[in-house]
Amino acid sequence: MKLIKFAAAAFLLLVGIGARAGEFSAGYTIKYGDFHGDGGRDLFIQAPAAKIVPILLDDMIIPVKVCCTKDLFLVNDGAGSFTMVSDPSPAQRALAAAWTIAEEMIANPRDIDLDGIIDLEIVGIRTLIGNGNDVILYGNASTQTPTMVTLNPRIRRYWAQVSGWLADNNFFHANAPLVMTPGSTPASPRWFASVLNPSNTTLINMFLSQCRSRFPGSQCGTTPVFPPGEPCVRNVAIYDSQGRYIGNTNTNLCDYPLHIVYYEGGNVTYQRDYSVFEPDALETADILDRLNDGCHAMPTNDQERLESIIESQIIRNIGNVLASDTANSWPHEPFPEDANYVQQDITFHHYDVKTRICKLSEANCTLPIVKDTVHRYFTYPAYQLRPTMTPIDGVTVHTAYITAPGATSFPSAYIWAAGPIIQQWIQSSVWVGGTRNVTQNGHVVYPGTISRHISVKGDGIEVFTHGMGHNRAFCKLAVENRAMQAFIGRGNDINGPLAFGQLDHEMRKYWRQRYRPGGNNKIEPVGPPDEINPALE
Amino acid sequence: MIAALVAGLVLAGCDSTSGESRRDQLAVTGKPFGVSDSVTAYCATRPVVAMCEEFAPRLAEFLAESRDAEWADSMERQIAQWMLADRQSPFEMRALECRRTRCAFEYAVTTDAYGQTLDGYEELDRHMELTGGVTAPELTSGTGHGKWVSVMIWRKRS
């Protein structure tokens, strides 16, 4: 460990951890003024001057060059959003020089998307711009122009919940409200409180806590059904979304979607209602949990992610080790699991494969047949790539098979046991309805996920395979073995698309033999898979 | 036997410039089979690699056999032809031996050539079925650069 710290210090001294062009750092100033004379308030995000600062790393002080993304404007559209003006002209900078510093807003630098590049979260915009949403400026490794995302309430909830889970893995369980299960609703529940926003777990849990405290002999839970026999309209205390008392007023409680009730006696069954959380947040936490099952292979907090990045920089630059990832993927909507991986980890790899299965003009080239039937037999590489129906229940363990270099085009050669996987349905994002294979401890390229999604594209139906992972196979091995893990990851990055392309080929053959007119039980020669890989074109 | 193999490969279209290196590679054919240290080390990793668990008994079955010279010569020729028929082949033969009903074959390839497919496997597949194997990383002194070493075990189809 001492050696690693020394190497880290040497590395940081040489290159500077904050030297990347498109990264944010501490020291940004927010000003406000009128950019184009429309009377509205716009924002100027002023970068700190580049400088050398001492950084304390354990017991060593290291001079680090701090650099940053350049100044930029956020021009208010009057509807709550902003347009970014990057690389402003000297005249525009001069205009902003006289603007007022927005003391009420906070520029918070942190690696929000876990890609190893520091981003900038700007919060408190509403204190000066009534309807303005907060924004995140995502730093980019290859350009000084950041990517801006407006922090709508849903994205806010997602990050808050994922952060809550990262800080405490019991977060979802502890904060999920108790709900009466259908069929066991008591005959005479009594009203205690109602909540307008069913996903406001802070408020729900506050009322549940108050309910239990006030009625210690009763059970308290939530239900969407307003208690029968209780008056809908009544004078009640009103609280804001943070649970702060506002005042009393007459309200029709039957208009509220969720109610906190208490019940005395009877046999009541409650269950935790996880639907109040963002599905993406639950899925992200669940995948990370499974990937770490039996072997802590994935970082679960910012400190571990930073250590992984620094370690990889050292191994890459001083150890002369090739990173696992090769140019065989392309930009696309992220899968829910992607946020778990650290892209700057030296073993990180990402590959994509698209294969057309059939043309819509062909008989039986439909989603019910291709997606819901045929693909169910080709969700993972089974022994010799044989069609294998699986339950996709998140529990059953299957063995995935690979083959040797040179033999990737031959299904009968897929007899090398790569190791255990479990399977899940993708439950959120634009890829909902797809399937996901999650490698388990003991798999040669663990941890990793391979997702497959079937959709209509153009005049055909295609299967899209998206593989992503680190490689901490034999996770008990120390950092000295990272070179081997990176090497194995690279092999997987190259082999994965070939193996899944071949699996797609078998899937297409299966469809042709069973669903194309005249194809029943007919073994016919087929050409190579129609792989569409823009990254390689 | 080696001369016969070379003749067979020339007929299959090998160019003369790489003939010498091919002869070097073919020199391993028919010699007592052994796996590289990298394979042994990989399969000694704990927790055990799943493919190694299944590979070990298949290798033991092969090593327990005696040699049927006629069948073994024929199969060794076919395997070598599959591996070296393409004159641009990046694959490096390391050991090849067939016995009475089984063959064992070890070869290596760089990561960059990992994805290259060899034609002609179907012909081998008609005569023998692949029953086990392993692919192991072989790094040059921990640099992250190296080769992939694969061992295949076949059994005669009945």
Side-chain angles (χ1 to χ4, degrees), chain A residues 508-528:
Chain A
R508 190 174 66 170
K509 193 162 69 177
Y510 184 93
W511 175 82
R512 287 184 174 186
Q513 289 168 357
R514 284 163 179 76
Y515 292 97
R516 200 164 66 168
N520 287 340
N521 302 318
K522 178 184 169 190
I523 305 300
E524 58 182 39
V526 291

Side-chain angles (χ1 to χ4, degrees), chain A residues 164-175:
Chain A
W165 181 81
L166 288 173
D168 174 10
N169 287 174
N170 196 41
F171 172 83
F172 291 109
H173 179 78
N175 290 286

Side-chain angles (χ1 to χ4, degrees), chain A residues 315 319-322 383-384 399 401-410 412-420 441-442 444 474-477 480 483-492 494-495 498, chain B residues 42 45-51 54 82 91 107 109 111-122 125 130-139 142-148 150-153 157:
Chain A
I315 295 169
N320 189 29
V321 172
L322 279 176
Y383 187 80
Q384 294 186 327
T399 298
Y401 287 86
I402 55 176
T403 188
T408 48
S409 297
F410 310 110
S412 65
Y414 282 75
I415 66 166
W416 277 219
N441 186 17
V444 290
F474 326 113
C475 68
K476 290 172 184 167
L477 299 185
E480 290 79 25
M484 184 180 79
Q485 291 171 333
F487 185 78
I488 294 173
R490 194 174 179 86
N492 180 56
I494 295 170
N495 181 60
L498 298 169
Chain B
Y42 186 61
T45 309
R46 294 293 178 270
V48 70
V49 182
M51 68 178 77
E54 298 179 5
W82 170 60
F91 296 88
Y107 62 100
V109 66
T111 299
D112 290 340
Y114 192 113
Q116 190 157 326
T117 294
L118 292 163
D119 293 331
Y121 183 81
E122 296 87 345
D125 202 43
L130 196 60
T131 61
V134 63
T135 297
E138 184 178 80
L139 272 69
T143 61
H145 301 264
K147 293 183 176 180
W148 290 94
S150 296
V151 181
M152 292 176 154
I153 306 284
R157 287 194 186 277

Side-chain angles (χ1 to χ4, degrees), chain A residues 49-79:
Chain A
K51 57 185 177 181
I52 305 293
V53 297
I55 298 289
L56 185 65
L57 182 69
D58 284 349
D59 53 349
M60 306 177 75
I61 295 177
I62 305 159
V64 172
K65 186 171 77 173
V66 176
C67 183
C68 45
T69 294
K70 291 179 179 174
D71 303 342
L72 53 90
F73 284 91
L74 298 180
V75 180
N76 178 10
D77 69 358

Side-chain angles (χ1 to χ4, degrees), chain B residues 13-49:
Chain B
C14 291
D15 67 334
S16 57
T17 54
S18 58
E20 194 168 331
S21 67
R22 284 162 199 282
R23 274 191 292 276
D24 290 343
Q25 293 203 40
L26 290 168
V28 305
T29 305
K31 301 278 175 61
F33 187 82
V35 298
S36 294
D37 290 347
S38 52
V39 175
T40 305
Y42 186 61
C43 285
T45 309
R46 294 293 178 270
V48 70
V49 182

